Structures are given as structure tokens and as C-alpha cells.
Amino acid sequence: MLFTRILLLFAITNILLVNANATEKEVPSHYFTAERVFDIEYATDPQISPNGKKVAYVRHTMDKMTDQDKSQIWLIDLVSGSHLPLLEGKQSSWSPRWSPDSKTLLYSTTSDGKVELRLFFVAANRSLTLSQFTRSPSNAVWSPDGKQIAFNMFVKGEKPSFAKPISAPEGATWNEAVKVYDDLIFRFDGSGYLEVGTDQVFSLPVEGGTPRQLTFGEADLTMASWLNNNTILVEGNTNDDRDIDIIESDIYRISLDNLSMQALTDRDGPDSSPIVSPNGKLIAYRGYTDKRLSYQQSNLYIMDADGGNKRELAKDFTGAIGQMQWSPDGKSLLVLSEDHGVLTLFNISLRGKVKPVTSNIGGGSIGRPYASGSFSVSANKQPKIAYMLGSPDRPSEISITSITGKNSSVLTKLNNDLLPYLNMATVEEIKVTSSHDGKEIEAWVALPPNFKADGSFPMILEIHGGPYAMYGPYFGSEIQRYAAEGYVTVWSNPRGSTGYGEDFALEIDLNYPGNDYHDLMSVVDELIKRKYVSDERLFVTGGSGGGILTAWIVTKTNRFAAAASIKPVINWMTMALAGDIAPFVRRHWFRQDPWSNPDAFLKYSPIRYMDKVTTPTMVMVGEEDYRTPTWEAEQFYTALKMLDVDTALIRVPNAPHYIASRPSRLIAKTDNIMGWFAKYDPVKIKQKGNKE
């Protein structure tokens, strides 16, 4: 009996100790704790009806039971103000597209694990499945008269084979048959090892029936738009060297009468995204003449419907051309462009005159503060623009404005049930002069709820990927997680970032990583100068392009207490031979062959400078990452181990390059990074020692 009581007392004591430790470590519930990631919602793909009366958009929620980012189409009635889901239940739906008469909404959904195209009839409030598809349709587009739909679908090809396998005896257990590949690009991130075949274009009457294949051949062709009710525009690369020159594309017109295909563009360089003017006489598109550089901005062009009279619009416009849409009167184009950290919508006339319409579009990158957004325009007499509105303190909402950018209003408040009741980080913009050459570097700082500028706070330098990409003043769950744990987090756009003109981006051409290192260190120096952070509690992390820069930084300096390199490039030679974009790396980034000039690749590879590293550095990578494959991180990890530098390797099961594609992965990413940093934080080490 005494022994039983002793055991019971021991068990109770252990429970109390566990609970005490949990309470001690627990962040108060009014902070952005890990489980709050599952509570976040955000809006994407706003589609305003041509008559300007309704907006369909995709509402994203985080499903705790399936660990998925769930998407469902919701409808906003701009007249009555009603805000309702398109479908009942938890069925996923996406890609809403209005018919020209605004009476029908085309959308994608799933049934029994297969993607379906459906039509929602607004007046009848019911949906119809268009057809049974053997493969998933995508990029669906209405014909001008609303009687047909064109879309993409995968067409299976014939597998290469050099030997006929013999048959196994009945009941025998033999190895799976060999897999033969003969294409240069045989795997791709997010898709894995590729099935043999191509994407082709199909059409289908709105009454349903059997899809009709419109394009054929060995090249992928993507549906773009309708030129008229009997002619479609597609894009793709039909050249023999398409596997080598993977950025090349041209625009083709296809007649539905005889399926004849005519090339409308033929220059060396990517021409894409053709959109037809309201009167059908002009085609706007974007592209550039390929100069074999690591980065070039897309420019805006128009041509006649027959492909003649090509000309560039707004040659002096400094931004890259993103999403485009004609104004309803056909006299100008609305163009989305990266603009010093934010996405701005511009109106560009056919004479090349540029006017800004509205800014701060974005908020669709839920993990990190990338600029990610879209818009659509109605076709009525008083056109309206529906767009994704981004801000530092919440994910994207749906907003609406006039075509001149006046009388804007926010239509959704998806996180009003959560974020106003949490102590969130405040975001402050700073501009720093680079120590390298005096260039202005834009950055943003997330300050924890209890922040004060006393020089005591730990800092995380978070570096964006790309490298040709852009951060901005947008909400990021990862940033908020760091702030909730007391870190001052800073992110910036060093040279090489987009949104600041082509010359600024090309500062790292044949020099990456390079002087962007000095830009980043100048940002860190500024925070120390302002007493925002302690110079003894500096940490650095970044993913992809930010991963290689993190690895590069620890070969250059030991000022950081610890580092976390996420999905990095470590050896450009292996990246140029085994990554899914290897042909582009070789042809455009280095313009060299690794076998004939290995030094050109090793010069910018962290693997070459491993003997300089003393900073404890964790490495993380997705197990199905084919953009910066697992062996890149593993090379770095093994070298650090051999050099007796503190390190750890974290492999994320089933994850592609976008590690944070599921809520639990985002949580695992940020919390393991912070756990690693805490291990080497001198303040926390001292606190732990005092307790012991």
C-alpha cells in the first residue's frame, strides 16, 4: 500500500512538473501562437462580373483535420451586400470566371478526387457539371459569345522503352518495372518525376459533351484567350531546342475550322499573355528580346489581330509588366507592376501615357511577406476594379475601386474575429544606405508587442528567395510568429530584388551572391544603431535564394549567434546539372558550362568556403524539393559536420520547394528555426544557467 502511494505521489509530482514547465514556456493566448496559423483566412482571385454587380473570389481557410489550405468560392452582391459561399459544405472550389453576359459562373471543383469544370447559373442558383474529364482541366476561358469554353488538359504520351520485360510467373513478387526517361527535364518541383505527355488545348460547348482537342504535338501549348468566336490564341515553345531554352515562348492563333496554327511572334525571347481588345482589332502581350541575362523585365506590346504592326507601349516605364487587362473602352490597358515593395495598378494608354490607379495590391503570400496579388475589371459603362488588398497587419482582403482609383472600399473582413484581439507586431519601414556603394535599400521591421528601443532585443534577418523577387509591407505568418516570441524581425530588398528597375536587379548578374551581402549587413547595422536590437543576439535565416545568402553570410562573418539556411543552393555545379531549372541556370545565370569552367560556378558556391564557417548553422529542406534538391542542403550539413561546426539537418517529409505549403509545415519551419536560435542566444543561455 505504501509502495502504491509512493508511486501515485511520484506520478502526481511529475504531472505538476510537466504542467509547470508547459506554463512557463507557454506564450499567452493573446499572442500569435503556433496554433493561430490554422485560424488565418485570406482572399485571392477576385473576379468582378462584366455588369459590375457581383464579385466572386476564392476564400482560403486552414483545415485542422486535413492540414490543408482549403479554397472555396464566395460571392459578394454589390447591390444587396450579401456575402455567401457558392457551394454548401467543405467542397473545394477555385478559378471563378464570369460569362460575358454575367449570368453564369464557370469554376473548378473536385468530385471523387477528380477536377471538374462546372457552371453556376446565377438566376437559378444551381450548378451543372460540364463533362467527365480523364485529366484535370485548367486555364479555362469563355468565348466572346459565351457559347464555348477553351481550356488546357494533359495528353499522355508514349513512354520510351528499349527492352520488352519478360512476364513474371503467376503469384511471383518481382521488382517494379524500370522507368526510362529521355527528356532533359524529367522532374519538376511540385510535380515530381514527370509523366510522359504534354499539355494541350481543348474546347467544349457550354451545353457540355465531349472535349475537342485543338492542339497537338510534342510541345506544351497553353490556352491564353479567344481572338473571336472561331479563333483562339495560345502560347508555347515549339522550337526543337525548347528543353534547353526553357524561357522561350511565342503566341499562336488557331482556327477552329481547320485547326491551322499560325505564329504571331517569332523573336528570340518570351512573348506571352496575349489579351484581345474589346473590339477584337488589337492584341496586347508582354515579353522581351532575350539577351541571355539572368533577369530581364517584361515589356508591354500591342499588335494587330493578324500579328502585324508590332510596337512597344510606354518604353520609358521602369516597372516590369505583370497581369494585364484592357479597359472596357479599349483605349488603354490596366497593368499590375512591382513598385518599390508594393504592387501598383497602372493605366497605360495606347499612346504610352502612364497613370497610377491604386496601390498596396497583394497579401496573397500567407507565409512570408512577398508581393502577391491580382485584379479584375468590369465591362459596364462605369467600370469597377476588384482587387486583393494587402497590408502589414492582415492577409489579403477583397477591395473595390473605380477605374480611376477613387471611391475605394473594402468588401471583406475575413480576420476580424481574430486579429483585433491579438497583440500583433507593428511594422515599420526603414531605408538604409548600402555600405558598398551608397544605394538606397528598402526594408521593413516587425516590432514585438512589448518592444522598446533599449538595445536588448534579439533580431532575425529574414532574406527573400528568388533572388529576382520582392518583399514588401505585407502580412506574413512567419514574421508574426517570430514577433510573438520576442524577436525583432527585419526583411529587405537588397540589390537583385525586383520592383526597383531592371538595372537594380541586374546588379547581381554574374555576381550572386555578391554585393547584396553588403546591403543586408547595412540593414543589420542600422537596427543596431537605432538600438532596436542587441549586437550579441543577431540571427539570420532565409529560404531558397535567401537560403544561399544565409549560407554565404556565414562564410563571410561570424557576427551572427546562429543561422538557419532553408532550402539553399550550396553548390552551383550540382544545381546547374540536377535542379529542375538546370538549363536556365546554365544558359542564363552563368552562361558557362560546369565541365569546361568549373571555377565560374564554384566562385559563388558556399561549399567552396566551408573552412571559413564558425557560426552554428541549421539546414532545412523538403524531401521532395526538386528546385534546390535535398542534396544541396545535405552537402552543406556534411561539410559542417566534418569541420566540427554545430549543425542540424531537418528534412520535411513530402514537402516540395514551398515547404510552408501546409499549415503544420509552416509551424514546424518557424518553430524549429526559433528553437535553433534559442539554443545559441546568449541571454537564454545565461538564463538557463542561472536556473540550473
Side-chain angles (χ1 to χ4, degrees):
M1 187 69 175
L2 179 60
F3 182 71
T4 303
R5 289 180 178 176
I6 291 172
L7 285 178
L8 180 60
L9 180 61
F10 180 77
I12 292 171
T13 303
N14 275 336
I15 291 171
L16 291 173
L17 286 173
V18 169
N19 287 340
N21 290 335
T23 303
E24 182 182 343
K25 295 178 181 179
E26 191 175 273
V27 178
S29 61
H30 53 277
Y31 285 86
F32 193 79
T33 51
E35 64 271 14
R36 292 299 187 186
V37 170
F38 281 98
D39 299 329
I40 289 296
E41 297 184 53
Y42 65 106
T44 63
D45 199 11
Q47 296 293 318
I48 190 167
S49 58
N51 63 13
K53 294 182 178 180
K54 295 182 184 293
V55 174
Y57 74 96
V58 179
R59 182 170 179 169
H60 296 259
T61 57
M62 307 299 164
D63 191 320
K64 259 187 181 179
M65 300 309 294
T66 62
D67 188 25
Q68 295 281 3
D69 181 327
K70 287 279 190 178
S71 61
Q72 290 181 298
I73 296 171
W74 281 59
L75 293 175
I76 302 173
D77 191 308
L78 298 178
V79 179
S80 69
S82 68
H83 184 199
L84 299 169
L86 180 69
L87 303 174
E88 294 181 3
K90 294 185 177 181
Q91 188 176 13
S92 293
S93 54
W94 63 95
S95 297
R97 295 295 181 268
W98 290 102
S99 62
D101 62 6
S102 302
K103 294 180 180 180
T104 312
L105 186 70
L106 173 70
Y107 65 97
S108 296
T109 186
T110 54
S111 177
D112 297 327
K114 293 184 178 179
V115 175
E116 290 186 347
L117 282 180
R118 287 187 185 176
L119 296 177
F120 174 74
F121 300 94
V122 177
N125 194 30
R126 58 183 299 183
S127 290
L128 168 71
T129 299
L130 270 177
S131 181
Q132 296 293 323
F133 296 102
T134 56
R135 297 283 178 158
S136 298
S138 61
N139 302 322
V141 183
W142 288 90
S143 63
D145 62 7
K147 294 182 178 180
Q148 298 183 82
I149 292 164
F151 55 91
N152 270 97
M153 197 160 59
F154 182 79
V155 176
K156 191 175 181 179
E158 187 175 339
K159 295 181 180 179
S161 177
F162 306 107
K164 183 178 180 180
I166 63 174
S167 300
E170 185 176 350
T173 304
W174 282 20
N175 192 66
E176 185 181 353
V178 299
K179 299 175 182 178
V180 181
Y181 301 94
D182 62 0
D183 290 322
L184 174 59
I185 299 176
F186 58 94
R187 63 179 169 229
F188 209 80
D189 189 66
S191 300
Y193 283 79
L194 300 174
E195 185 178 3
V196 177
T198 56
D199 282 330
Q200 300 296 339
V201 180
F202 293 77
S203 67
L204 186 67
V206 293
E207 293 85 1
T210 302
R212 178 194 181 197
Q213 188 171 344
L214 305 180
T215 62
F216 303 84
E218 297 180 353
D220 291 319
L221 291 168
T222 303
M223 181 60 210
S225 60
W226 291 79
L227 182 59
N228 53 54
N229 293 319
N230 201 46
T231 311
I232 61 170
L233 299 178
V234 303
E235 59 185 82
N237 183 358
T238 62
N239 297 333
D240 292 338
D241 67 346
R242 57 184 169 271
D243 282 353
I244 293 290
D245 191 4
I246 63 176
I247 69 163
E248 173 69 22
S249 65
D250 283 304
I251 299 168
Y252 303 86
R253 56 184 279 173
I254 297 174
S255 170
L256 270 62
D257 287 336
N258 54 19
L259 302 187
S260 60
M261 188 166 80
Q262 174 195 357
L264 299 184
T265 61
D266 60 0
R267 66 175 165 182
D268 182 9
D271 290 313
S272 64
S273 307
I275 54 172
V276 181
S277 62
N279 63 11
K281 294 182 179 180
L282 296 173
I283 300 171
Y285 61 103
R286 60 185 183 186
Y288 57 83
T289 300
D290 188 5
K291 299 177 182 178
R292 298 279 184 92
L293 300 173
S294 56
Y295 174 76
Q296 287 183 247
Q297 288 187 168
S298 290
N299 302 315
L300 176 61
Y301 297 87
I302 57 171
M303 60 181 165
D304 296 343
D306 61 1
N309 193 24
K310 297 179 179 68
R311 62 267 195 200
E312 183 181 352
L313 288 184
K315 291 183 179 181
D316 296 331
F317 182 63
T318 58
I321 303 299
Q323 182 193 350
M324 307 177 298
Q325 190 168 340
W326 283 94
S327 63
D329 61 11
K331 295 180 180 180
S332 63
L333 287 139
L334 292 158
V335 173
L336 200 60
S337 183
E338 294 179 333
D339 180 26
H340 295 77
V342 297
L343 289 175
T344 297
L345 185 64
F346 294 91
N347 189 311
I348 301 179
S349 74
L350 294 183
R351 294 184 177 181
K353 188 175 181 180
V354 180
K355 290 183 179 179
V357 177
T358 190
S359 196
N360 294 319
I361 297 173
S365 177
I366 197 66
R368 294 192 281 165
Y370 285 109
S372 176
S374 63
F375 74 97
S376 63
V377 186
S378 67
N380 54 336
K381 290 183 179 180
Q382 294 181 320
K384 301 173 185 176
I385 300 169
Y387 62 97
M388 294 166 57
L389 175 66
S391 61
D393 58 352
R394 61 174 57 214
S396 55
E397 303 281 4
I398 301 300
S399 189
I400 193 166
T401 189
S402 68
I403 199 165
T404 59
K406 297 179 181 179
N407 303 318
S408 300
S409 61
V410 182
L411 302 180
T412 60
K413 297 179 180 179
L414 300 185
N415 293 283
N416 267 18
D417 59 336
L418 172 69
L419 297 183
Y421 307 104
L422 298 179
N423 287 336
M424 306 291 285
T426 57
V427 175
E428 179 181 310
E429 182 185 60
I430 62 172
K431 293 183 178 180
V432 176
T433 300
S434 174
S435 63
H436 174 65
D437 57 6
K439 277 188 171 56
E440 183 179 84
I441 306 300
E442 197 167 19
W444 296 267
V445 187
L447 304 173
N450 60 341
F451 173 77
K452 53 184 177 180
D454 60 3
S456 68
F457 278 77
M459 183 213 75
I460 294 178
L461 171 63
E462 216 290 336
I463 309 171
H464 74 62
Y468 298 111
M470 182 184 77
Y471 269 166
Y474 296 107
F475 179 90
S477 292
E478 296 182 25
I479 302 298
Q480 292 294 338
R481 280 293 298 125
Y482 297 145
E485 300 294 339
Y487 289 94
V488 170
T489 306
V490 61
W491 61 100
S492 68
N493 288 327
R495 69 192 64 212
S497 302
T498 53
Y500 301 84
E502 191 171 84
D503 290 343
F504 186 83
L506 285 173
E507 283 281 331
I508 63 169
D509 183 53
L510 296 181
N511 187 27
Y512 173 70
N515 294 322
D516 40 0
Y517 164 80
H518 299 291
D519 300 342
L520 294 167
M521 294 307 101
S522 297
V523 170
V524 175
D525 292 340
E526 178 67 19
L527 293 194
I528 295 172
K529 179 182 175 182
R530 295 185 181 205
K531 294 188 177 181
Y532 281 13
V533 300
S534 166
D535 61 0
E536 295 182 348
R537 305 180 72 189
L538 305 178
F539 303 94
V540 59
T541 188
S544 193
I548 185 176
L549 273 168
T550 298
W552 187 260
I553 283 169
V554 296
T555 71
K556 295 288 185 181
T557 181
N558 62 359
R559 71 186 301 185
F560 293 93
S565 178
I566 314 300
K567 53 189 180 184
V569 177
I570 296 301
N571 184 341
W572 282 112
M573 289 186 70
T574 54
M575 179 66 184
L577 292 171
D580 64 350
I581 58 169
F584 180 70
V585 171
R586 169 184 170 265
R587 183 182 174 92
H588 285 83
W589 278 13
F590 284 91
R591 308 191 278 278
Q592 300 274 354
D593 293 323
W595 49 86
S596 59
N597 189 1
D599 285 345
F601 294 80
L602 289 173
K603 180 180 179 181
Y604 298 102
S605 298
I607 198 73
R608 182 158 183 182
Y609 310 102
M610 294 305 304
D611 58 330
K612 309 295 184 184
V613 182
T614 59
T615 304
T617 305
M618 182 186 80
V619 193
M620 183 185 297
V621 67
E623 290 187 345
E624 295 182 8
D625 187 336
Y626 296 115
R627 179 59 44 84
T628 54
T630 54
W631 50 80
E632 293 294 325
E634 289 166 355
Q635 288 179 75
F636 197 52
Y637 168 76
T638 302
L640 290 171
K641 278 291 186 184
M642 289 178 172
L643 291 167
D644 200 27
V645 176
D646 284 357
T647 185
L649 172 65
I650 296 179
R651 293 167 58 97
V652 184
N654 305 313
H657 190 62
Y658 179 30
I659 286 177
S661 56
R662 304 182 78 164
S664 68
R665 291 177 186 161
L666 188 154
I667 294 168
K669 176 188 174 185
T670 54
D671 286 22
N672 275 281
I673 288 172
M674 289 188 289
W676 179 256
F677 291 167
K679 182 180 178 181
Y680 298 97
D681 186 334
V683 171
K684 292 184 178 180
I685 292 172
K686 184 177 180 180
Q687 290 173 346
K688 184 178 179 181
N690 290 338
K691 289 178 183 178
E692 292 175 350

